[in-house]
């Protein structure tokens, strides 16, 4: 096996991260041995830790909660999609002096929806719940797929409004507001990008919200059991209800491809993770 440098996922907390398993599985597909670890970094230590990682032989980082905005700020070069969102889940040392920031979450979500789930985004009405780091990261990629309209709804309405204002374009209608402001629909796609489910809660959606017969209800959160949002959607008769494990693996595949120039087989990794008894 060939060694290909030092990589890590950094966050706080980090112990449940699947990224090391996923990235090592990708490397294995190409006969490579990947030095990829999960690194817990203290909340006030991210910049110092990342700078020292890159100055001591580190090549690439995935970045997760709560450091995605700070990762973007730390870099001195960025992709357009990272710049639009102001967040990065990917850093790469491209030159001794250059740290490139990118955000692969949106590409991962779009690929999971369109390729793996064979659902369409073009011409659809999309309702996005939440206005935190994950939602900021995926909106540029969702907009690239040319939906007809996106409504961003958040518990704290001003966050959704300001996010929508920053993205408003002529071709795609983007609006934002509180959960109580959500138009009843029918919605073709509902993406839950809120972290309510992590606390066993469901965003307080208006009664009478309408789903189309083919509507996709997608929770960015994932786990062994169906999430609270998935339960909500199933109760309302939605047939196309999924969690975000596919997005997780696809954003990792995009990272792998950006680091090494090879596209791993993500399907087999998704299937293997679904087969694990716990994660
Ligand atoms: P943030 O902490 O940045 O944002 C959390 C969001 O959830 C905010 O908009 C917050 O609203 C909202 N929220 C929290 N609790 C509630 C509640 N009880 N009711 C309604 N809204 C609530 O988190 P992230 O954006 O980083 O992550 C969001 C979710 O996406 C998590 O579940 C995370 O696991 C998942 N994720 C999945 C990925 C994948 O690859 N599958 C990648 C990244 C994230 P407010 O502004 O009012 O506080």
């Amino acid at each position: 096996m060939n060694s290909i440098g030092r990589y890590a996922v950094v966050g706080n907390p980090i112990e449940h991260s699947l990224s090391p398993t996923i990235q090592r599985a990708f490397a294995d597909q190409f006969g490579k041995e990947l030095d990829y670890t999960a690194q817990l970094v203290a909340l006030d230590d991210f910049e110092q830790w990342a700078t020292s990682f890159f100055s001591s032989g580190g090549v690439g980082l995935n970045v997760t909660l709560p450091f995605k905005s700070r990762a973007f700020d730390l870099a001195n070069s960025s992709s357009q999609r990272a710049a639009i969102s102001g967040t990065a889940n990917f850093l790469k040392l491209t030159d001794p002096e250059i740290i490139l920031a990118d955000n692969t979450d949106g590409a991962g979500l779009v690929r999971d929806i369109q390729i793996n789930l064979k659902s369409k985004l073009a011409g659809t009405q999309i309702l996005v719940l939440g206005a935190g780091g994950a939602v900021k990261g995926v909106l540029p990629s969702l907009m690239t797929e040319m939906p007809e309209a996106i409504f961003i709804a958040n518990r704290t309405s001003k966050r959704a409004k300001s996010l929508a204002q920053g993205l408003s374009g002529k071709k795609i209608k983007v609006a934002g507001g509180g959960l109580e402001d959500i138009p009843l629909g029918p919605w073709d796609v509902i993406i839950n990008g809120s972290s309510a489910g992590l606390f066993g809660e469901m965003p307080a959606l208006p009664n009478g919200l309408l789903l189309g017969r083919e509507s996709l209800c997608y929770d960015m959160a994932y786990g062994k059991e169906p999430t609270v949002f998935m339960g909500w959607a199933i109760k309302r008769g939605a047939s196309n209800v999924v969690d975000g494990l596919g997005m997780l693996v696809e954003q990792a595949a995009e990272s792998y491809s950006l680091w090494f120039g090879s596209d791993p087989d993500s399907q087999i990794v998704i299937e293997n993770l679904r087969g694990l008894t716990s994660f």
Side-chain angles (χ1 to χ4, degrees), residues 63-66 68 89 103-105 108-109 112 129-138 153-160 163 179 192-205 218-222 243-252:
V63 182
T64 185
L65 262 177
K68 289 184 181 180
N89 71 339
N103 195 319
T104 66
D105 279 340
L109 174 67
D112 194 36
L129 306 176
V135 167
K136 274 187 202 153
V138 302
N154 193 41
R155 181 176 60 179
T156 309
S157 72
K158 67 177 182 205
R159 283 201 190 122
L163 197 49
L179 298 169
N192 180 30
S194 84
S195 58
L198 301 181
F199 313 102
E201 291 171 13
M202 174 70 198
L205 302 182
Y218 191 105
D219 199 342
M220 286 197 210
Y222 51 86
D243 73 7
L245 186 69
M247 171 184 169
L248 176 78
V249 175
E250 293 296 353
Q251 64 76 28

Side-chain angles (χ1 to χ4, degrees), residues 13-126:
I14 200 66
E15 62 270 23
H16 298 301
S17 175
L18 291 172
S19 294
T21 306
I22 296 169
Q23 293 295 348
R24 285 186 213 135
F26 289 158
D28 207 38
Q29 293 176 9
F30 299 97
K32 293 180 189 297
E33 190 179 346
L34 183 59
D35 177 358
Y36 187 108
T37 53
Q39 299 286 340
L40 175 71
V41 169
L43 296 180
D44 55 1
D45 211 19
F46 173 73
E47 288 74 12
Q48 200 188 345
W49 183 90
T51 306
S52 146
F53 175 83
F54 285 119
S55 63
S56 61
V59 184
L61 285 178
N62 285 128
V63 182
T64 185
L65 262 177
F67 299 129
K68 289 184 181 180
S69 301
R70 286 161 66 183
F72 177 78
D73 292 341
L74 177 88
N76 46 10
S77 160
S78 80
S79 68
Q80 201 186 10
R81 59 192 177 184
I84 295 171
S85 71
T87 62
N89 71 339
F90 171 100
L91 295 174
K92 179 185 182 181
L93 193 68
T94 55
D95 183 273
E97 300 292 319
I98 308 276
I99 299 173
L100 170 74
D102 202 343
N103 195 319
T104 66
D105 279 340
L109 174 67
V110 165
R111 196 176 155 81
D112 194 36
I113 290 178
Q114 297 194 145
I115 310 280
N116 300 341
L117 303 170
K118 303 193 175 15
S119 286
K120 70 169 192 160
L121 293 167
T124 58
Q125 304 275 337
I126 303 180

